[in-house]
């Protein structure tokens, strides 16, 4: 094993260097504090590997993404979302009988407990569906007390199936509540995404038969969002799970982390940005200048990534799908034109080139969601639906990790020292 040598304060200490199967190297600092009395400082964890993981590989320089060793391009073309979910969670593509059994289990659990429905009526109509979904997912832990043991194989399996099966129902109910329509129960004759679309758009007076193009497109988007190694929400799920919190509670925390505009919330923000450019007369150049300005907080949403310093491979697939789907569904939108123009200008601009900012997964996804008539505040909910298997796979990997430890980072204290309590009468106004 290779070693790294650290010289500090007259001391020398050696640390093991780990190598991943795709060649990445890391210094193992597990004993840093013990050996030399130092801790590492890495805000945002840009240089910190928090775990070993066998789930997803990203090469951000080359724009490569693989789930369990399989390139994302192959899965996007050939797999279904539920097959991909199985692959991520159980580490291999399911054999025919395994897939059949898995689909049967998912289908058997699509209904929500009738009492869960009562939660929805307590939320204001204008509540963001992400708030509703995270609350309802957390509430599932109250309905399944027998599925909460993070180390019980049967309990874990039961919780995984229920989460995957019920999330589309939870999501569609959050939308129905926001528009004041009655909930539409799942139809178990339909596949995963067709069922979701029907629960979104059918009413008791008019059924809705999802267009197979729309259902397959949604399936593709879910596959592309299914995992992305140690991103903010996945790290959150792992951190919460590391206290031995149950799976429902951990996933609920992940949904909240995903909601932020720098993470999954960016897909909603991209569409709002494109619409505001359109409403303002379509000056793409002016918006790019705004996004570059240090005096303006605006960013070019859907651009840039902590790991990708090249074109996000998911964005490449979505960009292509965008043209195909809009064409097949006969949808015309000025927003695609604006997005393409934004991309063209940004990719010739030194500001974006020098910082290696390229379109990410969120840049084109909103245009597709809009073509499928998904309301804008549901975009991030769909990201959560896609990311669910990834979160689950990481939570499971953590629970079985021989290096398992509760997550508990250190800090460098920079606050005041040597202060004492002053009675209230002696404090200055
Ligand atoms: N528009 C304009 N400037 C940007 C952008 C952008 N979208 N992204 C980064 N920069 C600039 C940033 O101002 C900084 O400039 P300087 O060096 O002059 O201070 C430099 O590029 C580095 O940015 P950073 O914020 O330090 O980079 P990060 O790795 O911490 O952040 C990011 C990554 C994704 C949060 C960021 O690129 C961003 O805010 N993008 C827009 C939001 C977005 O699209 N998020 C979705 C990410 S993909 C989906 C997911 O996995 O969540």
């Amino acid at each position: 094993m290779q070693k790294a040598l650290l010289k500090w304060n007259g001391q020398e200490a050696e640390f093991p260097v780990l190598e991943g199967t795709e060649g990445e190297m890391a210094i193992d600092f597990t004993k840093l504090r013990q050996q030399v009395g130092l801790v590492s400082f890495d805000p945002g964890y840009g240089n910190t590997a928090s775990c070993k993981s066998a789930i997803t590989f990203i090469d951000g320089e080359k724009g490569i993404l693989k789930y369990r060793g399989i390139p994302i391009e192959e899965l996007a073309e050939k797999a279904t979302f539920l097959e991909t979910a199985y692959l991520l969670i159980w580490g291999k593509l399911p054999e025919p009988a395994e897939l059949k059994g898995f689909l049967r289990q998912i289908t058997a659990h699509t209904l929500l407990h009738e009492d869960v429905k009562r939660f929805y009526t307590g939320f204001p109509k204008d509540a963001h569906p992400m708030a509703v979904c995270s609350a309802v997912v957390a509430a599932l832990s109250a309905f399944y007390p027998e599925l909460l043991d993070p180390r019980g194989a049967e309990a874990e399996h039961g919780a995984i199936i229920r989460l995957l099966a019920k999330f589309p129902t939870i999501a569609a109910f959050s939308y129905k509540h926001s528009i004041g329509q009655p909930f539409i129960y799942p139809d178990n004759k339909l596949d995963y995404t067709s069922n979701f679309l029907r629960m979104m758009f059918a009413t008791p007076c008019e059924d809705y038969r999802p267009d197979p193009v729309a259902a397959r497109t949604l399936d593709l988007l879910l596959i592309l969002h299914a995992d992305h190694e140690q991103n903010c929400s996945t790290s959150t799920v792992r951190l919460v799970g590391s206290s031995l919190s149950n799976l429902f509670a951990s996933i609920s925390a992940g949904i909240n982390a995903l909601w932020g505009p720098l993470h999954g919330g960016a897909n909603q923000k991209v569409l709002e940005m494109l619409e505001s450019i359109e409403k303002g007369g379509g000056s793409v150049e002016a918006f790019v200048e705004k996004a570059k300005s240090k005096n303006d907080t605006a960013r070019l949403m859907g651009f840039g990534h902590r790991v990708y310093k090249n074109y996000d491979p998911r964005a490449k697939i979505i960009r292509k799908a965008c043209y195909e789907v809009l064409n097949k569904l006969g949808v015309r939108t000025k927003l695609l034109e604006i997005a393409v123009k934004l991309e063209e200008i940004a990719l010739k601009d030194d500001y974006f080139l020098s910082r290696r900012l390229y379109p990410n997964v969120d840049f084109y996804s909103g245009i597709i969601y809009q073509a499928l008539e998904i309301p804008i505040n549901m975009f991030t909910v769909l990201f959560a639906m896609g990311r669910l298997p990834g979160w689950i796979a990481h939570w499971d990997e953590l629970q079985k990790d021989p290096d398992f430890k509760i997550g508990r980072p250190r800090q460098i204290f920079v606050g005041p020292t040597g202060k004492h309590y002053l009675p209230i009468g002696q404090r200055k106004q």
Side-chain angles (χ1 to χ4, degrees):
M1 180 185 283
Q2 298 190 65
K3 303 240 178 199
L5 189 64
L6 178 76
K7 286 188 186 177
W8 183 74
N9 209 15
Q11 304 174 73
E12 277 193 8
E14 279 190 339
F15 296 92
V17 173
L18 308 177
E19 185 170 0
T21 48
E22 292 268 9
E24 334 87 302
M25 315 282 277
I27 304 176
D28 178 350
F29 272 149
T30 323
K31 300 221 160 58
L32 179 64
R33 196 164 170 276
Q34 195 180 315
Q35 281 183 235
V36 290
L38 293 173
V39 294
S40 63
F41 178 64
D42 183 20
Y45 313 120
N47 306 287
T48 297
S50 59
C51 60
K52 292 181 197 149
S53 179
I55 302 169
T56 287
F57 172 72
I58 302 174
D59 183 330
E61 301 296 322
K62 296 192 185 134
I64 293 173
L65 169 64
K66 296 181 192 175
Y67 296 163
R68 299 283 188 186
I70 304 178
I72 191 65
E73 293 78 9
E74 285 179 32
L75 292 165
E77 193 191 330
K78 299 178 183 149
T80 64
F81 173 62
L82 285 181
E83 246 185 315
T84 306
Y86 190 103
L87 169 73
L88 286 167
I89 298 169
W90 288 288
K92 66 178 199 92
L93 285 168
E95 291 170 22
E98 289 168 332
L99 184 61
K100 207 168 154 200
F102 176 53
L103 297 184
R104 200 179 316 113
Q105 289 177 54
I106 295 291
T107 312
H109 291 285
T110 51
L111 263 185
L112 289 183
H113 190 294
E114 279 297 290
D115 290 345
V116 174
K117 276 176 29 191
R118 284 202 254 147
F119 279 79
Y120 287 86
T121 50
F123 287 108
K125 290 269 180 266
D126 57 359
H128 196 287
M130 284 296 274
V132 177
C133 288
S134 73
V136 174
V137 167
L140 291 182
S141 46
F143 285 82
Y144 299 103
E146 72 285 7
L147 302 183
L148 305 186
D149 177 5
R151 296 295 163 85
E154 248 179 73
E156 188 197 4
H157 186 83
I160 291 173
I161 297 294
R162 276 164 188 79
L163 273 165
L164 291 170
K166 292 182 198 306
F167 195 81
T169 316
I170 293 171
F173 280 18
S174 72
Y175 171 59
K176 286 299 197 191
H177 173 68
S178 74
I179 56 167
Q181 285 188 2
F183 300 135
I184 298 296
Y185 283 65
D187 176 350
N188 288 345
K189 290 193 290 306
L190 297 175
D191 64 63
Y192 199 75
T193 46
S194 302
N195 195 17
F196 169 71
L197 290 170
R198 184 179 161 276
M199 287 189 283
M200 287 281 291
F201 299 123
T203 68
C205 17
E206 207 168 325
D207 201 6
Y208 173 93
R209 287 287 128 190
D211 185 327
V213 173
R216 172 57 199 157
T217 306
L218 188 52
D219 207 67
L220 168 71
L221 287 171
L222 297 182
I223 293 171
L224 296 177
H225 286 89
D227 193 41
H228 215 233
E229 49 118 304
Q230 311 306 323
N231 56 83
C232 175
S233 57
T234 302
S235 299
T236 301
V237 169
R238 276 182 173 263
L239 192 60
V240 175
S242 81
S243 74
L244 296 185
S245 274
N246 68 75
L247 183 59
F248 302 112
S250 308
I251 298 291
S252 169
I255 295 172
N256 285 315
L258 184 75
W259 190 3
L262 297 188
H263 190 9
N267 58 12
Q268 173 170 342
K269 295 288 170 206
V270 170
L271 210 87
E272 286 168 359
M273 172 186 79
L274 297 175
E275 284 180 343
S276 83
I277 295 174
E278 188 189 22
K279 278 192 199 117
S283 177
V284 170
E285 289 81 359
F287 188 83
V288 170
E289 286 312 310
K290 220 165 118 67
K292 286 160 53 178
S293 167
K294 286 277 169 226
N295 304 321
D296 201 310
T297 53
R299 284 195 162 193
L300 181 49
M301 298 310 283
F303 250 71
H305 198 278
R306 170 63 62 78
V307 182
Y308 291 120
K309 300 301 164 203
N310 200 328
Y311 214 102
D312 181 334
R314 303 166 300 171
K316 241 184 228 167
I317 299 169
I318 297 179
R319 190 185 198 271
K320 185 163 165 271
C322 212
Y323 284 102
E324 286 168 9
V325 172
L326 263 55
N327 205 9
K328 278 190 198 156
L329 297 176
V331 174
R332 308 232 155 280
T333 167
K334 183 106 188 356
L335 300 187
L336 180 57
E337 258 172 60
I338 295 176
V340 170
K341 202 162 164 208
L342 268 177
E343 182 189 329
E344 266 172 26
I345 293 176
L347 293 186
K348 282 187 199 133
D349 191 303
D350 191 51
Y351 175 94
F352 295 92
L353 289 175
S354 62
R355 289 169 179 78
R356 303 174 77 190
L357 303 169
Y358 292 87
N360 61 48
V361 69
D362 291 321
F363 195 64
Y364 287 102
S365 63
I367 298 175
I368 301 191
Y369 289 138
Q370 202 186 45
L372 304 183
E373 297 180 359
I374 305 281
I376 193 164
N377 64 356
M378 287 295 287
F379 290 5
T380 315
V381 173
L382 282 169
F383 194 149
M385 195 184 296
R387 187 54 53 89
L388 189 52
W391 289 332
I392 293 171
H394 282 273
W395 188 89
D396 173 73
E397 189 178 63
L398 166 84
Q399 301 302 337
K400 295 174 178 151
D401 191 338
D403 295 331
F404 177 91
K405 264 191 167 67
I406 186 170
R408 206 298 185 192
R410 294 260 169 187
Q411 63 165 19
I412 308 294
F413 179 70
V414 293
T417 59
K419 295 240 176 187
H420 293 285
Y421 180 82
L422 274 185
I424 189 136
Q426 294 176 26
R427 295 175 213 162
K428 282 195 208 136
Q429 289 303 318

